[in-house]
Amino acid sequence: MNVDDILQNPDEHVRFAACLDELQQVSDADEVDLVSRVLTDPDQTMARSAVLRHLDRRAAALHAGPAYEGWARAMTQATIDHPFLAQRLREWSIFRAVTLKMSWQPDDLLASSNWLQLKTAAGTNTEATEILAEAGRTKRIRNTAKTSLNHRSES
């Protein structure tokens, strides 16, 4: 079954599962085209959800390596008309910078979503964790950061 056939299926649950399957198997060379085609689905909630899962899976696998930057640029272009997806990619780039101890701005982290703050609060960058323990957006984020810092000091 190709993507065009998938997009013709009236059941969004079937399309969602099929899109996830196709996205998981796509070659690097065809990834931008497939993401763009999935995002043409009339059920934009379903399409964005499938692409978000794909972006999270790929970014998790790539963020620590050199291939991430080119991939992120390509995916940013493919998702440019979808602000939530573009924001998630920006946040993966912040997470990458924090995790790899590259240059990052505390204000970018503090302005980020709960998703990124919580992910970072449980991470290994002491500076970022201290910032979130003090000024994270939610009590859960602040507590996660404090717990993470306490575990490090006990080790």
Side-chain angles (χ1 to χ4, degrees), residues 13-121:
H13 298 99
V14 170
R15 289 196 322 276
F16 180 75
C19 286
L20 287 179
D21 186 54
E22 290 290 320
L23 286 163
Q24 191 162 0
Q25 297 177 46
V26 70
S27 69
D28 291 350
D30 295 331
E31 185 177 16
V32 170
D33 183 53
L34 180 58
V35 166
S36 297
R37 283 190 291 153
V38 168
L39 289 172
T40 66
D41 191 281
D43 185 338
Q44 283 293 286
T45 301
M46 183 282 303
R48 284 190 296 262
S49 182
V51 170
L52 178 64
R53 283 200 194 180
H54 174 70
L55 294 178
D56 283 346
R57 181 182 58 78
R58 290 282 285 154
L62 294 172
H63 81 276
Y68 174 82
E69 289 184 23
W71 173 83
R73 278 192 301 274
M75 287 300 106
T76 297
Q77 287 303 307
T79 61
I80 196 113
D81 294 329
H82 302 273
F84 180 78
L85 298 174
Q87 176 64 27
R88 182 59 68 96
L89 285 166
R90 281 189 297 278
E91 290 190 352
W92 269 108
S93 293
I94 294 168
F95 180 75
R96 178 177 195 261
V98 168
T99 302
L100 299 180
K101 297 190 166 110
M102 300 165 75
S103 178
W104 59 278
Q105 297 299 314
D107 288 345
D108 291 341
L109 180 59
L110 291 173
S112 68
S113 70
N114 290 357
W115 172 84
L116 177 59
Q117 287 191 12
L118 193 58
K119 187 169 185 61
T120 304

